[in-house]
Amino acid sequence: MEKLPNHKDVVIYLQQMFLDYTKRVANCQSLSSNSLLVKQINENIQLNIYEKITPAMIADNLQMNCSYLCTHFKRETGKTITEFINELKINEGKRLLKTKQIPLINIAIQLGYSSQSYFQRVFKKFTGMTPVEYRNQLQ
């Protein structure tokens, strides 16, 4: 914020931060389950969104059986944990794509994807367009 040239830009920046925060809170509450375990899984994913994360890692963090965790999550939400992880990562990727300065490869790495091409495939699966098409649409 110190680098922003004037008061107006600081206000705009703070508004964007607030909107980003409210979207993240909404994401946390977007699951249609009241299960404490589902909420713990969601929280674990949110805390590790910028890392490679798998159902096994979540199970390890929660000290639970991975198979039970996956079955419970699917029964409660209708989604697999992996689908949900990718959904959250793609939503974060969309937010990052709004920043023109961040190269696509950096976004893919930042979100814990093994390669840019894998990130592009997952992005297209969830949005129907490539990350570049999405970024160009924003202009």
Side-chain angles (χ1 to χ4, degrees):
M1 286 192 341
E2 293 173 354
K3 294 181 181 180
L4 295 174
N6 58 49
H7 175 61
K8 182 181 177 185
D9 288 340
V10 171
V11 170
I12 291 170
Y13 182 75
L14 289 172
Q15 287 173 332
Q16 289 172 339
M17 283 178 49
F18 179 73
L19 287 173
D20 181 54
Y21 174 76
T22 56
K23 285 178 185 176
R24 288 173 189 261
V25 169
N27 275 343
C28 288
Q29 298 172 346
S30 67
L31 288 172
S32 60
S33 173
N34 292 326
S35 164
L36 178 61
L37 183 54
V38 169
K39 289 178 183 177
Q40 289 174 323
I41 293 167
N42 183 25
E43 183 179 308
N44 202 283
I45 295 167
Q46 294 286 345
L47 290 172
N48 296 292
I49 195 79
Y50 288 112
E51 299 172 26
K52 179 174 176 25
I53 186 166
T54 65
M57 292 171 165
I58 295 168
D60 226 24
N61 289 344
L62 297 176
Q63 299 178 343
M64 297 194 74
N65 177 283
C66 185
S67 180
Y68 172 77
L69 205 69
C70 291
T71 302
H72 180 80
F73 191 87
K74 175 79 173 182
R75 184 178 50 228
E76 288 289 318
T77 67
K79 302 175 185 179
T80 67
I81 293 175
T82 302
E83 287 170 340
F84 187 65
I85 291 168
N86 281 325
E87 183 180 311
L88 292 180
K89 284 184 179 262
I90 295 307
N91 286 338
E92 183 64 8
K94 287 163 72 174
R95 189 186 71 76
L96 294 171
L97 284 165
K98 292 177 184 174
T99 306
K100 306 283 187 255
Q101 300 88 338
I102 305 174
L104 191 56
I105 184 70
N106 291 5
I107 293 173
I109 292 168
Q110 189 173 347
L111 291 172
Y113 284 97
S114 56
S115 69
Q116 180 177 333
S117 62
Y118 181 60
F119 170 67
Q120 289 175 308
R121 274 196 309 271
V122 174
F123 192 96
K124 186 162 186 165
K125 177 183 173 188
F126 278 86
T127 65
M129 62 183 85
T130 68
V132 172
E133 290 169 340
Y134 179 82
R135 183 177 264 171
N136 290 339
Q137 172 190 310
L138 298 172
Q139 295 176 351

